Amino acid sequence: MDSINGSKVAYSIIQFQICRNCDQSRQVTQHQNLSPINFAYLSRILYIHHKTIYIIELQLKQQTLMEKYALHIFVLNFFFVIIAIVTQNQPIPTTLQGPFEPVTRRFDPSLRTGSDDLPMDHPRLKKNVTSIFPEQIALAISSPTSMWVSWVTGDAQIGSNVTALDPSSVASEVMYGKNSGKYTNQSSGNATVYSQLYPFEGLLNYTSGIIHHVRIDDLEPGRKYYFKCGDSNFPAMSEEHVFETLPLPGPTSYPRRIAVIGDLGLTSNSSTTIDHLMNNDPSLILMVGDLTYANQYLTTGGKGASCYSCAFPNTPIRETYQPRWDGWGRFMEPLTSRVPMMVIEGNHEIEPQVSGITFKSYLTRFAVPSEESGSHSNFYYSFEAGGIHFIMLGAYVDYNSTGAQYKWLKQDLQNVDRNVTPWLVAAWHPPWYNSYSSHYQEFECMRQEMEALVYQNGVDIVFSGHVHAYERMNRVYNYTLDPCGPVYITVGDGGNIEKIDVDFADDPGKCPSANDNPPEFGNICHLNFSSGPAKGNFCWSKQPEWGAFRESSFGHGILEVVNSTYALWTWHRNQDAYKEDSHGDQIYIVRQPELCSPSSPKRDQPKSTRSPSNENSGYAALSGQCKWILSILFIMVFIVVK
């Protein structure tokens, strides 16, 4: 069937021309001829196009009388496929099209608002190794050429009288190499234990297993490394694990996928979140606080509560059941033993105990690059991965402009070279911008102290948790739409026991009072808006204009940085875990360094007062090059039909 072969040739030519341009678009760092939007858009066209050819061939085999018209039918079918895509499947929007009209997708009543915690004897939480063997293995970035490997050995104790294990009783060793079973390098580190002690009758104390942290150095970028950890003298080494290093800092290389999770916990919903996330195959994880929810329990264990003060109103202190931390480490190990996870503290990590000690489990269990980044504090630090500089800030330590964290942040931002790391991404636990009733304006003091510094230094994206739902903002600064403001995103929807947040502050009767939502650290700085539609009021009467999209669902996010100006953000809902190519929110975040660079003369010029737009036309979003492709197809159809 020569006409069918002719159609295949025509298909191949078109496919080559389009894909050649699309491949180039991934290599160019700025001013690309074909934007990533069109890459994704045309990929969909080609997929349906391929299916169309197959169907046509089947039809022609059954209808031999129509052989001479095969090419005509192919071109016409291809033409109509493209028209259908352009008119029905709009391309992924970009922040350049914003600000957008705010959109709310309310909670789906067919879903549950939450679920109970997994019990400690659940297969994903219980201990599956003997005492001296490593468990709870986790990776974290130390520097572009080094990695922290952490794990736990020995048995934790809980009771009225507990005796801490001796950290020197077991070695901290990591053997590693570039080939499976061949470990050409070995590093040693340090070990420690911690205790959670309560000076109240009837409360049980806890002391941990031995927690090991070893830094392995001289790693090559983009290479797989195989490792075992433990003590080779017993011998008591772990099974072999493997991880892949990230790219070196530079404007043309980026981590493949960056997963962002907040407020995870240990429920059935948490399991779905992690399973869904693992299917998305990230190369780096940002955990934006509230990890285990061990403080939703009494020290005696039992059943955790979705509302601690409701279930346990008379406790002398906010109790915790520390074995939940061990269960969480086991729960996360299949992921964290192969993908580095960078954490920041949330309010559920405060965990007060004897003598006013707080955050003991968080500070002891996780290795972060605090010394490497010059912060000398596990509460805040920075690191780099490819062309991204990450800043992790602490909301539960001093954030005032006169404090150590602010001074460090100012210096860290000054040290960033945007020619090397064009993207600047920040994360902290409580959101500064939030339209849900829960935690509304809770950390307004932190925003007032730090926002100007974040804005002036051109931070591109800010991730937070705390609110158990999803929300993405339009670019904003000081509650005003601003094309140079960061894109703030709340992803506190990991699935914890406290359930999903469903009430909005702009709903009738849902606006908190000025005395509600006091922060667990710092002062109250609640304010009424001084301008805009909400002027003089504490809450808006409709979804705020700086809010782009919000939905009450559990899930996680994936950030895929394409080049120095484009990054694809996708929010994946748990209910879509088994649906192919499905998501709850997706947008290209586009940097505009020529407009928003701190040194740009355009930055201080009056900003556009453009109103929020719902512009999302498929054809309008196509580049000039893609419009030419469509025009050529129109001509082809005309010629063939003639």
Side-chain angles (χ1 to χ4, degrees), residues 329-380:
R330 297 167 193 138
F331 174 79
M332 294 295 291
E333 182 180 331
L335 177 63
T336 58
S337 61
R338 62 181 180 85
V339 180
M341 179 178 69
M342 310 307 291
V343 301
I344 199 67
E345 76 279 2
N347 55 300
H348 283 271
E349 281 72 67
I350 296 176
E351 299 185 331
Q353 55 167 306
V354 66
S355 302
I357 297 172
T358 55
F359 289 105
K360 196 65 176 177
S361 50
Y362 166 79
L363 294 173
T364 310
R365 289 178 180 270
F366 298 103
V368 300
S370 55
E371 299 300 318
E372 298 91 325
S373 63
S375 74
H376 308 294
S377 170
N378 284 29
F379 291 117
Y380 52 91

Short mmCIF file of all heavy atoms in Angstrom, two decimals, residues 329-380:
data_model
loop_
_atom_site.label_atom_id
_atom_site.label_comp_id
_atom_site.label_asym_id
_atom_site.label_seq_id
_atom_site.Cartn_x
_atom_site.Cartn_y
_atom_site.Cartn_z
N GLY A 329 10.69 6.79 60.62
CA GLY A 329 11.96 6.53 59.94
C GLY A 329 11.91 5.26 59.11
O GLY A 329 12.46 5.19 58.00
N ARG A 330 11.25 4.22 59.65
CA ARG A 330 11.11 2.96 58.90
C ARG A 330 10.15 3.14 57.71
O ARG A 330 10.37 2.61 56.63
CB ARG A 330 10.60 1.86 59.82
CG ARG A 330 11.56 1.53 60.96
CD ARG A 330 10.91 0.67 62.04
NE ARG A 330 11.75 0.63 63.23
CZ ARG A 330 11.30 0.72 64.47
NH1 ARG A 330 9.99 0.83 64.70
NH2 ARG A 330 12.14 0.69 65.49
N PHE A 331 9.10 3.87 57.95
CA PHE A 331 8.10 4.16 56.92
C PHE A 331 8.73 4.87 55.73
O PHE A 331 8.42 4.59 54.57
CB PHE A 331 7.00 5.02 57.55
CG PHE A 331 5.96 5.54 56.61
CD1 PHE A 331 4.92 4.73 56.17
CD2 PHE A 331 5.99 6.86 56.17
CE1 PHE A 331 3.94 5.21 55.32
CE2 PHE A 331 5.03 7.35 55.32
CZ PHE A 331 4.00 6.53 54.88
N MET A 332 9.67 5.78 56.00
CA MET A 332 10.27 6.59 54.95
C MET A 332 11.50 5.94 54.31
O MET A 332 11.94 6.36 53.23
CB MET A 332 10.67 7.96 55.52
CG MET A 332 9.50 8.82 55.94
SD MET A 332 8.43 9.30 54.57
CE MET A 332 9.53 10.41 53.68
N GLU A 333 12.08 4.94 54.95
CA GLU A 333 13.36 4.40 54.49
C GLU A 333 13.38 3.94 53.03
O GLU A 333 14.37 4.19 52.32
CB GLU A 333 13.83 3.24 55.39
CG GLU A 333 15.17 2.69 54.97
CD GLU A 333 15.64 1.55 55.86
OE1 GLU A 333 15.27 1.50 57.05
OE2 GLU A 333 16.39 0.69 55.35
N PRO A 334 12.34 3.27 52.51
CA PRO A 334 12.40 2.88 51.09
C PRO A 334 12.62 4.06 50.15
O PRO A 334 13.16 3.89 49.05
CB PRO A 334 11.04 2.22 50.86
CG PRO A 334 10.62 1.73 52.21
CD PRO A 334 11.12 2.77 53.17
N LEU A 335 12.23 5.25 50.57
CA LEU A 335 12.42 6.46 49.77
C LEU A 335 13.72 7.18 50.14
O LEU A 335 14.54 7.49 49.28
CB LEU A 335 11.22 7.39 49.95
CG LEU A 335 11.27 8.75 49.25
CD1 LEU A 335 11.32 8.57 47.74
CD2 LEU A 335 10.04 9.58 49.64
N THR A 336 13.91 7.43 51.44
CA THR A 336 15.03 8.28 51.87
C THR A 336 16.38 7.57 51.81
O THR A 336 17.41 8.23 51.88
CB THR A 336 14.79 8.79 53.29
OG1 THR A 336 14.64 7.66 54.19
CG2 THR A 336 13.55 9.65 53.36
N SER A 337 16.40 6.24 51.66
CA SER A 337 17.67 5.53 51.52
C SER A 337 18.23 5.64 50.11
O SER A 337 19.37 5.23 49.85
CB SER A 337 17.50 4.05 51.89
OG SER A 337 16.56 3.42 51.03
N ARG A 338 17.45 6.20 49.19
CA ARG A 338 17.94 6.35 47.82
C ARG A 338 17.76 7.76 47.26
O ARG A 338 18.33 8.09 46.22
CB ARG A 338 17.24 5.35 46.89
CG ARG A 338 15.74 5.51 46.78
CD ARG A 338 15.14 4.45 45.86
NE ARG A 338 13.70 4.56 45.71
CZ ARG A 338 13.10 5.36 44.84
NH1 ARG A 338 13.83 6.11 44.04
NH2 ARG A 338 11.79 5.40 44.75
N VAL A 339 16.97 8.61 47.95
CA VAL A 339 16.75 9.98 47.50
C VAL A 339 17.01 10.92 48.67
O VAL A 339 16.42 10.75 49.74
CB VAL A 339 15.30 10.18 46.99
CG1 VAL A 339 15.10 11.62 46.52
CG2 VAL A 339 14.98 9.20 45.87
N PRO A 340 17.88 11.92 48.52
CA PRO A 340 18.14 12.84 49.64
C PRO A 340 16.90 13.65 50.01
O PRO A 340 16.18 14.14 49.14
CB PRO A 340 19.26 13.75 49.12
CG PRO A 340 19.20 13.63 47.63
CD PRO A 340 18.70 12.24 47.34
N MET A 341 16.65 13.76 51.30
CA MET A 341 15.51 14.52 51.82
C MET A 341 16.02 15.66 52.70
O MET A 341 16.77 15.45 53.64
CB MET A 341 14.59 13.62 52.64
CG MET A 341 13.38 14.35 53.23
SD MET A 341 12.27 13.24 54.16
CE MET A 341 13.30 12.83 55.59
N MET A 342 15.61 16.88 52.36
CA MET A 342 16.01 18.06 53.12
C MET A 342 14.81 18.53 53.94
O MET A 342 13.74 18.81 53.39
CB MET A 342 16.48 19.16 52.17
CG MET A 342 17.52 18.69 51.15
SD MET A 342 18.95 17.86 51.87
CE MET A 342 19.75 19.24 52.70
N VAL A 343 15.00 18.62 55.25
CA VAL A 343 13.89 18.90 56.16
C VAL A 343 14.03 20.28 56.79
O VAL A 343 15.12 20.84 56.87
CB VAL A 343 13.81 17.84 57.28
CG1 VAL A 343 13.61 16.45 56.69
CG2 VAL A 343 15.05 17.87 58.16
N ILE A 344 12.91 20.81 57.22
CA ILE A 344 12.88 22.01 58.05
C ILE A 344 11.83 21.78 59.12
O ILE A 344 10.85 21.06 58.90
CB ILE A 344 12.62 23.28 57.22
CG1 ILE A 344 13.04 24.53 57.98
CG2 ILE A 344 11.15 23.35 56.80
CD1 ILE A 344 14.53 24.64 58.19
N GLU A 345 12.02 22.40 60.28
CA GLU A 345 11.15 22.11 61.41
C GLU A 345 9.78 22.77 61.27
O GLU A 345 9.64 23.83 60.67
CB GLU A 345 11.80 22.57 62.73
CG GLU A 345 11.75 24.07 62.98
CD GLU A 345 12.81 24.86 62.26
OE1 GLU A 345 13.61 24.26 61.51
OE2 GLU A 345 12.86 26.09 62.43
N GLY A 346 8.78 22.10 61.85
CA GLY A 346 7.44 22.67 61.98
C GLY A 346 7.04 22.71 63.43
O GLY A 346 7.80 22.31 64.33
N ASN A 347 5.84 23.16 63.71
CA ASN A 347 5.40 23.28 65.11
C ASN A 347 5.26 21.93 65.80
O ASN A 347 5.42 21.83 67.02
CB ASN A 347 4.08 24.05 65.18
CG ASN A 347 2.99 23.45 64.33
OD1 ASN A 347 3.13 23.34 63.12
ND2 ASN A 347 1.88 23.05 64.96
N HIS A 348 4.98 20.87 65.03
CA HIS A 348 4.84 19.55 65.66
C HIS A 348 6.18 18.94 66.04
O HIS A 348 6.22 17.88 66.67
CB HIS A 348 4.07 18.60 64.73
CG HIS A 348 2.59 18.85 64.74
ND1 HIS A 348 1.74 18.25 65.63
CD2 HIS A 348 1.83 19.68 63.98
CE1 HIS A 348 0.50 18.67 65.41
NE2 HIS A 348 0.54 19.54 64.41
N GLU A 349 7.27 19.60 65.67
CA GLU A 349 8.59 19.16 66.11
C GLU A 349 9.06 19.85 67.39
O GLU A 349 10.14 19.54 67.89
CB GLU A 349 9.64 19.40 65.00
CG GLU A 349 9.63 18.37 63.91
CD GLU A 349 8.43 18.45 62.98
OE1 GLU A 349 8.32 19.44 62.23
OE2 GLU A 349 7.59 17.52 63.00
N ILE A 350 8.27 20.78 67.92
CA ILE A 350 8.70 21.53 69.13
C ILE A 350 8.90 20.57 70.30
O ILE A 350 9.94 20.59 70.97
CB ILE A 350 7.69 22.62 69.47
CG1 ILE A 350 7.62 23.66 68.35
CG2 ILE A 350 8.06 23.30 70.80
CD1 ILE A 350 6.57 24.74 68.55
N GLU A 351 7.91 19.77 70.62
CA GLU A 351 8.00 18.70 71.62
C GLU A 351 8.70 19.13 72.93
O GLU A 351 9.81 18.67 73.24
CB GLU A 351 8.73 17.49 71.02
CG GLU A 351 8.00 16.90 69.82
CD GLU A 351 8.64 15.63 69.29
OE1 GLU A 351 9.87 15.46 69.43
OE2 GLU A 351 7.91 14.80 68.73
N PRO A 352 8.08 19.98 73.72
CA PRO A 352 8.70 20.44 74.97
C PRO A 352 8.88 19.30 75.97
O PRO A 352 8.08 18.35 76.01
CB PRO A 352 7.71 21.47 75.49
CG PRO A 352 6.39 21.09 74.89
CD PRO A 352 6.73 20.54 73.53
N GLN A 353 9.95 19.36 76.75
CA GLN A 353 10.20 18.36 77.79
C GLN A 353 10.83 19.03 79.00
O GLN A 353 10.66 20.24 79.21
CB GLN A 353 11.08 17.23 77.24
CG GLN A 353 12.41 17.68 76.64
CD GLN A 353 13.36 16.53 76.41
OE1 GLN A 353 13.64 15.76 77.32
NE2 GLN A 353 13.85 16.39 75.18
N VAL A 354 11.54 18.26 79.81
CA VAL A 354 12.12 18.75 81.05
C VAL A 354 13.06 19.92 80.79
O VAL A 354 13.72 19.99 79.74
CB VAL A 354 12.86 17.60 81.78
CG1 VAL A 354 14.07 17.14 80.98
CG2 VAL A 354 13.28 18.02 83.18
N SER A 355 13.09 20.88 81.72
CA SER A 355 13.99 22.03 81.68
C SER A 355 13.80 22.92 80.46
O SER A 355 14.72 23.62 80.04
CB SER A 355 15.45 21.56 81.75
OG SER A 355 15.68 20.80 82.91
N GLY A 356 12.62 22.88 79.88
CA GLY A 356 12.33 23.75 78.74
C GLY A 356 13.00 23.34 77.44
O GLY A 356 13.03 24.12 76.48
N ILE A 357 13.54 22.14 77.38
CA ILE A 357 14.20 21.65 76.17
C ILE A 357 13.14 21.39 75.09
O ILE A 357 12.07 20.84 75.37
CB ILE A 357 14.98 20.36 76.47
CG1 ILE A 357 16.11 20.65 77.47
CG2 ILE A 357 15.55 19.75 75.19
CD1 ILE A 357 16.81 19.40 77.96
N THR A 358 13.44 21.79 73.87
CA THR A 358 12.52 21.59 72.74
C THR A 358 13.27 21.06 71.53
O THR A 358 14.50 21.13 71.46
CB THR A 358 11.81 22.90 72.35
OG1 THR A 358 12.80 23.91 72.07
CG2 THR A 358 10.90 23.39 73.47
N PHE A 359 12.54 20.53 70.58
CA PHE A 359 13.06 20.11 69.27
C PHE A 359 14.15 19.04 69.36
O PHE A 359 14.92 18.87 68.42
CB PHE A 359 13.63 21.31 68.49
CG PHE A 359 12.60 22.28 67.99
CD1 PHE A 359 12.42 23.50 68.61
CD2 PHE A 359 11.82 21.97 66.89
CE1 PHE A 359 11.49 24.41 68.15
CE2 PHE A 359 10.88 22.87 66.41
CZ PHE A 359 10.71 24.09 67.04
N LYS A 360 14.21 18.28 70.45
CA LYS A 360 15.33 17.36 70.63
C LYS A 360 15.37 16.27 69.57
O LYS A 360 16.43 15.94 69.03
CB LYS A 360 15.27 16.73 72.03
CG LYS A 360 16.56 16.08 72.46
CD LYS A 360 17.67 17.11 72.64
CE LYS A 360 18.95 16.49 73.18
NZ LYS A 360 20.04 17.47 73.28
N SER A 361 14.23 15.70 69.25
CA SER A 361 14.20 14.63 68.25
C SER A 361 14.57 15.16 66.87
O SER A 361 15.35 14.54 66.13
CB SER A 361 12.83 13.94 68.22
OG SER A 361 11.80 14.89 68.13
N TYR A 362 14.02 16.30 66.49
CA TYR A 362 14.34 16.90 65.19
C TYR A 362 15.83 17.21 65.07
O TYR A 362 16.48 16.89 64.06
CB TYR A 362 13.52 18.17 64.98
CG TYR A 362 14.00 19.03 63.83
CD1 TYR A 362 13.68 18.70 62.51
CD2 TYR A 362 14.80 20.16 64.05
CE1 TYR A 362 14.13 19.47 61.45
CE2 TYR A 362 15.25 20.93 63.00
CZ TYR A 362 14.93 20.58 61.70
OH TYR A 362 15.39 21.35 60.65
N LEU A 363 16.39 17.83 66.09
CA LEU A 363 17.79 18.26 66.04
C LEU A 363 18.75 17.08 66.03
O LEU A 363 19.85 17.18 65.47
CB LEU A 363 18.11 19.17 67.23
CG LEU A 363 17.39 20.52 67.25
CD1 LEU A 363 17.67 21.25 68.56
CD2 LEU A 363 17.83 21.37 66.07
N THR A 364 18.36 15.96 66.60
CA THR A 364 19.27 14.82 66.71
C THR A 364 19.16 13.87 65.53
O THR A 364 20.16 13.29 65.10
CB THR A 364 18.98 14.04 68.01
OG1 THR A 364 18.94 14.95 69.11
CG2 THR A 364 20.06 13.00 68.27
N ARG A 365 17.98 13.70 65.01
CA ARG A 365 17.76 12.66 63.99
C ARG A 365 18.20 13.07 62.59
O ARG A 365 18.48 12.19 61.76
CB ARG A 365 16.29 12.25 63.97
CG ARG A 365 15.87 11.45 65.20
CD ARG A 365 14.38 11.10 65.16
NE ARG A 365 13.98 10.33 66.33
CZ ARG A 365 13.99 9.00 66.41
NH1 ARG A 365 14.40 8.29 65.37
NH2 ARG A 365 13.60 8.39 67.51
N PHE A 366 18.24 14.35 62.29
CA PHE A 366 18.48 14.77 60.91
C PHE A 366 19.81 15.50 60.77
O PHE A 366 20.15 16.38 61.57
CB PHE A 366 17.35 15.67 60.42
CG PHE A 366 16.02 14.98 60.41
CD1 PHE A 366 15.08 15.24 61.40
CD2 PHE A 366 15.71 14.05 59.43
CE1 PHE A 366 13.86 14.59 61.41
CE2 PHE A 366 14.48 13.39 59.43
CZ PHE A 366 13.56 13.67 60.43
N ALA A 367 20.55 15.12 59.74
CA ALA A 367 21.77 15.83 59.36
C ALA A 367 21.41 16.83 58.26
O ALA A 367 20.79 16.46 57.26
CB ALA A 367 22.83 14.86 58.87
N VAL A 368 21.77 18.09 58.46
CA VAL A 368 21.53 19.13 57.46
C VAL A 368 22.83 19.93 57.29
O VAL A 368 23.68 19.94 58.18
CB VAL A 368 20.37 20.06 57.88
CG1 VAL A 368 19.07 19.29 58.04
CG2 VAL A 368 20.71 20.83 59.15
N PRO A 369 22.99 20.62 56.17
CA PRO A 369 24.24 21.35 55.91
C PRO A 369 24.30 22.71 56.63
O PRO A 369 24.48 23.75 55.99
CB PRO A 369 24.24 21.51 54.39
CG PRO A 369 22.79 21.54 54.02
CD PRO A 369 22.12 20.59 54.98
N SER A 370 24.16 22.69 57.94
CA SER A 370 24.19 23.94 58.70
C SER A 370 25.61 24.51 58.77
O SER A 370 25.81 25.72 58.58
CB SER A 370 23.63 23.72 60.10
OG SER A 370 24.33 22.67 60.76
N GLU A 371 26.59 23.66 59.05
CA GLU A 371 27.97 24.13 59.08
C GLU A 371 28.44 24.49 57.68
O GLU A 371 29.11 25.51 57.48
CB GLU A 371 28.89 23.06 59.68
CG GLU A 371 28.55 22.67 61.11
CD GLU A 371 28.63 23.85 62.06
OE1 GLU A 371 29.58 24.65 61.95
OE2 GLU A 371 27.73 23.97 62.92
N GLU A 372 28.06 23.67 56.71
CA GLU A 372 28.48 23.91 55.33
C GLU A 372 27.96 25.24 54.80
O GLU A 372 28.63 25.90 53.99
CB GLU A 372 28.00 22.78 54.42
CG GLU A 372 28.56 21.40 54.78
CD GLU A 372 27.70 20.62 55.75
OE1 GLU A 372 27.08 21.23 56.65
OE2 GLU A 372 27.63 19.39 55.61
N SER A 373 26.75 25.64 55.23
CA SER A 373 26.15 26.88 54.73
C SER A 373 26.42 28.08 55.63
O SER A 373 25.97 29.19 55.34
CB SER A 373 24.63 26.71 54.57
OG SER A 373 24.02 26.46 55.83
N GLY A 374 27.14 27.85 56.74
CA GLY A 374 27.51 28.95 57.61
C GLY A 374 26.45 29.38 58.60
O GLY A 374 26.64 30.36 59.32
N SER A 375 25.34 28.65 58.67
CA SER A 375 24.28 29.05 59.61
C SER A 375 24.58 28.56 61.02
O SER A 375 24.15 29.16 62.00
CB SER A 375 22.93 28.51 59.16
OG SER A 375 22.83 27.12 59.39
N HIS A 376 25.28 27.40 61.09
CA HIS A 376 25.62 26.76 62.37
C HIS A 376 24.37 26.48 63.20
O HIS A 376 24.41 26.48 64.43
CB HIS A 376 26.60 27.64 63.16
CG HIS A 376 27.80 28.05 62.37
ND1 HIS A 376 28.74 27.15 61.93
CD2 HIS A 376 28.19 29.26 61.89
CE1 HIS A 376 29.68 27.79 61.24
NE2 HIS A 376 29.36 29.07 61.20
N SER A 377 23.25 26.25 62.51
CA SER A 377 21.99 25.96 63.18
C SER A 377 21.17 25.03 62.32
O SER A 377 20.99 25.30 61.12
CB SER A 377 21.21 27.25 63.45
OG SER A 377 19.89 26.95 63.89
N ASN A 378 20.66 23.95 62.89
CA ASN A 378 19.79 23.04 62.15
C ASN A 378 18.41 23.62 61.90
O ASN A 378 17.62 23.05 61.15
CB ASN A 378 19.65 21.72 62.91
CG ASN A 378 20.89 20.84 62.77
OD1 ASN A 378 22.00 21.34 62.60
ND2 ASN A 378 20.69 19.53 62.85
N PHE A 379 18.13 24.79 62.49
CA PHE A 379 16.83 25.42 62.30
C PHE A 379 16.74 26.17 60.97
O PHE A 379 15.65 26.47 60.50
CB PHE A 379 16.53 26.38 63.45
CG PHE A 379 16.28 25.69 64.75
CD1 PHE A 379 17.13 25.90 65.83
CD2 PHE A 379 15.21 24.84 64.93
CE1 PHE A 379 16.91 25.28 67.05
CE2 PHE A 379 14.97 24.21 66.14
CZ PHE A 379 15.83 24.42 67.20
N TYR A 380 17.87 26.52 60.38
CA TYR A 380 17.87 27.22 59.10
C TYR A 380 19.23 27.00 58.43
O TYR A 380 20.27 26.91 59.08
CB TYR A 380 17.58 28.71 59.26
CG TYR A 380 18.44 29.42 60.29
CD1 TYR A 380 19.64 30.04 59.92
CD2 TYR A 380 18.06 29.49 61.62
CE1 TYR A 380 20.43 30.69 60.86
CE2 TYR A 380 18.85 30.14 62.57
CZ TYR A 380 20.03 30.74 62.17
OH TYR A 380 20.81 31.38 63.11
#
